[in-house]
Amino acid sequence: MRLLKHLLDNNKRWSDRVKDADPDFFQKLATQQSPEYLWIGCSDSRVPANEIVSLMPGEIFVHRNIANIVVHTDLNCLSVIQFAVDVLNVRHIIVCGHYGCGGIQAALENREHGLIDNWLRHIKDVYRFHQSRLDASANERDKEDLLCELNVIEQVANVCHTTIVQNAWQRGQPLAVHGWIYSLEDGILKDLDVCITGMNEISSIHRMTQSALET
């Protein structure tokens, strides 16, 4: 019970396959990481970032939490964004949600779930922002799917509202923030047609002047 031998065996076979294809792969990977992408996704075990976009280790920097939420009080998420933008110089930040998200489903329920209810409040806020549109949904499945999409769009905005991203834009660093959603039923990603690439594309109330960013 103390050793998960089957997982260790799986790891050995995977490592051997990679080295068969590229004998120097791990040696090169150990010396640096230079990904172009930061992926902010859900912790759901059915949505593995590297695999669904067919990228190898070292090609995508990943942060995951329940329901792919970005909030200004989450120092973990903000630290990941800061490292990705300022140190790794990623060119793309992808916020990726997924249909059938348990966090979204729980937020739509009017019952207690425990500690996670404090986290789900952020999703309930998204619902409140878009309540008339969500309440007009034809059925509960449509409402849930729409909330999954709207949550991604709100989190894209939250990424763009950080001083980290705005500082990058101010200094002319190429950086785009994208909103995607993944279908568990067919394994296909959908672009939600939201891609923010500069200060002029975010709401004026959230734009920081250069002097404000420097303080």
Side-chain angles (χ1 to χ4, degrees):
M1 288 295 290
R2 294 187 180 184
L3 293 178
L4 297 173
K5 187 176 184 304
H6 63 294
L7 296 183
L8 296 174
D9 291 341
N10 288 348
N11 166 254
K12 180 63 167 58
R13 286 191 289 270
W14 170 77
S15 174
D16 289 343
R17 287 196 302 270
V18 173
K19 286 182 286 191
D20 285 343
D22 182 354
D24 298 325
F25 178 82
F26 290 109
Q27 290 181 355
K28 292 182 291 187
L29 190 65
T31 62
Q32 65 173 350
Q33 66 168 331
S34 54
E36 289 190 30
Y37 315 98
L38 166 61
W39 176 283
I40 300 175
C42 183
S43 299
D44 194 300
S45 61
R46 299 167 293 178
V47 193
N50 282 69
E51 292 185 29
I52 65 176
V53 289
S54 191
L55 291 179
M56 292 293 288
E59 294 184 292
I60 189 166
F61 198 58
V62 177
H63 174 78
R64 296 168 70 178
N65 61 48
I66 300 297
N68 43 272
I69 290 172
V70 178
V71 289
H72 70 278
T73 53
D74 183 359
L75 297 183
N76 183 4
C77 183
L78 293 181
S79 296
V80 170
I81 295 173
Q82 188 270 326
F83 187 81
V85 172
D86 293 348
V87 179
L88 298 177
N89 294 307
V90 298
R91 298 175 66 90
H92 302 275
I93 298 175
I94 300 162
V95 179
C96 186
H98 67 97
Y99 298 118
C101 178
I104 298 292
Q105 293 167 350
L108 284 169
E109 297 172 350
N110 293 315
R111 64 185 183 88
E112 184 178 347
H113 300 87
L115 179 64
I116 196 174
D117 289 324
N118 298 280
W119 188 250
L120 298 178
R121 279 279 302 276
H122 300 299
I123 303 172
K124 290 179 182 290
D125 286 341
V126 175
Y127 189 105
R128 178 165 52 85
F129 300 154
H130 302 278
Q131 184 165 357
S132 58
R133 184 178 172 189
L134 285 158
D135 287 348
S137 299
N139 54 59
E140 288 303 310
R141 173 64 183 271
D142 288 347
K143 178 186 291 188
E144 180 187 313
D145 287 350
L146 179 57
L147 185 54
C148 288
E149 295 177 354
L150 292 172
N151 181 55
V152 168
I153 294 169
E154 289 291 338
Q155 306 317 318
V156 167
N158 287 344
V159 171
C160 295
H161 298 162
T162 64
T163 55
I164 302 160
V165 169
Q166 293 191 40
N167 267 317
W169 285 333
Q170 288 276 12
R171 61 179 176 260
Q173 182 174 336
L175 182 63
V177 186
H178 310 260
W180 293 357
I181 195 159
Y182 177 73
S183 172
L184 297 172
E185 295 179 352
D186 61 14
I188 299 299
L189 286 162
K190 175 184 176 182
D191 189 336
L192 292 176
D193 197 26
V194 52
C195 176
I196 311 299
T197 60
M199 299 275 282
N200 63 323
E201 298 175 44
I202 64 176
S203 60
S204 58
I205 189 63
H206 289 103
R207 294 178 201 163
M208 301 291 183
T209 64
Q210 187 62 46
S211 59
L213 288 167
E214 290 172 348
T215 56

